[in-house]
Amino acid sequence: MTRVALACLIGAGVVASTAGAAQATPAAQGGSTPVKTIEKGYALSCAGQSAGVTVAVDLYQNSAFGSHTSVSIETPEGEYGGGYGPEDTTLFSNGTIAAAIPVRKLDDTAEPAGDAVIGGTYAAAGRPEPVHEVVEDPAGHYVITKGTNTPLRTAATVKVLGTTVPLSCSTAFAFDLTVWRLTPGLG
């Protein structure tokens, strides 16, 4: 399970990941036939700081489960955040990263504070790496994932609250996975 996928989806209020999206699709009825999905997409987790503004951004795009975003911002005036998902929104396309995330003040007012606008570029930065995971999620339900993750090189910024913040991405990869979800022994 990747940190960025989990962070994006928890930030958006959904529990799922490239390896653990079992919550998003019902388990096979009677446990006899696995549910198979083909999942292609991107995962990105970045952070940066400029002019007293600290930002963390997570972007996740999955062909089977939509796009999910989250942003958290700390300033001397307070904390802000936002996110969405799942949505049918393209965040990654032909080497370009683009997202606009509505931001609110994280206090009793929840006052809207504009958008966090993420922009940048990405490119493959290595060979596809094999993925093979078996996860029990939840107990008695299995998620079997096979495919590849391809590391990405990124250059991105976020414009938020009147400040442009350069981002450094600790997690950046494209994925191409086949995922089976099953509940053995129920039938």
Side-chain angles (χ1 to χ4, degrees):
M1 188 177 317
T2 65
R3 181 181 77 80
V4 68
L6 188 57
C8 283
L9 299 174
I10 288 173
V14 177
V15 177
S17 76
T18 57
Q23 301 287 334
T25 300
Q29 295 296 320
S32 59
T33 305
V35 175
K36 176 183 170 182
T37 56
I38 303 298
E39 301 179 26
K40 296 180 181 188
Y42 303 88
L44 191 70
S45 182
C46 309
Q49 183 176 5
S50 181
V53 176
T54 301
V55 181
V57 173
D58 292 312
L59 303 177
Y60 177 74
Q61 181 176 306
N62 184 314
S63 61
F65 299 107
S67 294
H68 303 263
T69 67
S70 69
V71 63
S72 63
I73 304 126
E74 293 182 22
T75 73
E77 293 77 38
E79 295 181 1
Y80 300 80
Y84 60 79
E87 287 193 7
D88 186 21
T89 303
T90 300
L91 306 172
F92 301 83
S93 179
N94 298 318
T96 300
I97 303 164
I101 305 170
V103 174
R104 294 189 171 274
K105 186 149 185 158
L106 298 180
D107 64 7
D108 292 341
T109 68
E111 181 179 319
D115 287 343
V117 178
I118 297 100
T121 60
Y122 66 93
R127 303 175 110 183
E129 300 169 1
V131 173
H132 182 212
E133 298 175 329
V134 178
V135 177
E136 188 175 12
D137 180 31
H141 299 261
Y142 293 90
V143 181
I144 302 163
T145 305
K146 286 186 174 186
T148 59
N149 286 347
T150 302
L152 299 175
R153 180 180 57 254
T154 61
T157 62
V158 59
K159 294 178 184 177
V160 65
L161 303 173
T163 303
T164 298
V165 179
L167 296 172
S168 174
C169 301
S170 60
T171 301
F173 62 91
F175 56 88
D176 186 351
L177 306 169
T178 302
V179 181
W180 294 270
R181 293 167 181 82
L182 64 139
T183 306
L186 293 180

